[in-house]
Amino acid sequence: GRLLFALPVTLPSALWILLVAALGLLTFMGIGFLLAAAIRSEGVLVEGVSALMTPLVLLSEMFFPLSELPRPLQLVGELLPSTHLVRLLRFGVSSDAGLVEMATWLPSLLLLSAWLVVSFVAAVLLFRWHD
């Protein structure tokens, strides 16, 4: 990113991005496991994932800010893990990933972590319940 797009990526911000990307990967793996535990049919699972991708992408601030959307969609977007993953990654690129701006990144980090824990716990409980 630094070479091709002249992004201000320093070593601390690169480590932040790596940490956040790993947290995001684990979070979405948990959501995938939850879907796989809840839906037993492969065809329905594929359709379910496809149906979830649209709001996860469109309401995540990847393409436009949530403030431009109607209030109900803003509220939904604020709860999605993809929104907070995008914010955390953007923070890593736009700052030196210091603790000074903790109020900026801590809520997103906590919400993404909550999604991680809840999705894995729910997936395990659902998987056990089906067997």
Side-chain angles (χ1 to χ4, degrees):
R2 186 177 189 142
L3 294 174
L4 295 176
F5 303 109
L7 293 175
V9 179
T10 61
L11 182 60
S13 62
L15 292 174
W16 172 263
I17 291 167
L18 187 62
L19 174 77
V20 168
L23 178 65
L25 173 67
L26 290 172
T27 300
F28 282 97
M29 283 175 60
I31 294 169
F33 289 149
L34 178 59
L35 282 173
I39 302 171
R40 291 296 186 178
S41 168
E42 184 179 327
V44 175
L45 180 63
V46 171
E47 297 300 323
V49 169
S50 296
L52 286 175
M53 286 304 295
T54 302
L56 281 173
V57 171
L58 290 179
L59 300 178
S60 68
E61 294 188 334
M62 265 189 257
F63 302 113
F64 44 84
L66 285 179
S67 60
E68 299 299 316
L69 297 174
R71 186 70 183 142
L73 291 177
Q74 289 177 20
L75 295 174
V76 171
E78 286 294 335
L79 296 175
L80 295 176
S82 54
T83 302
H84 296 279
L85 179 61
V86 167
R87 288 177 181 170
L88 289 169
L89 290 171
R90 207 173 271 148
F91 175 76
V93 171
S94 65
S95 74
D96 203 10
L99 293 176
V100 179
E101 301 175 38
M102 185 183 292
T104 304
W105 57 263
L106 188 59
S108 290
L109 192 63
L110 291 174
L111 196 124
L112 196 59
S113 299
W115 268 97
L116 170 70
V117 171
V118 169
S119 62
F120 271 104
V121 169
V124 168
L125 292 175
L126 268 174
F127 187 74
R128 286 186 181 172
W129 182 70
H130 281 299
D131 288 338

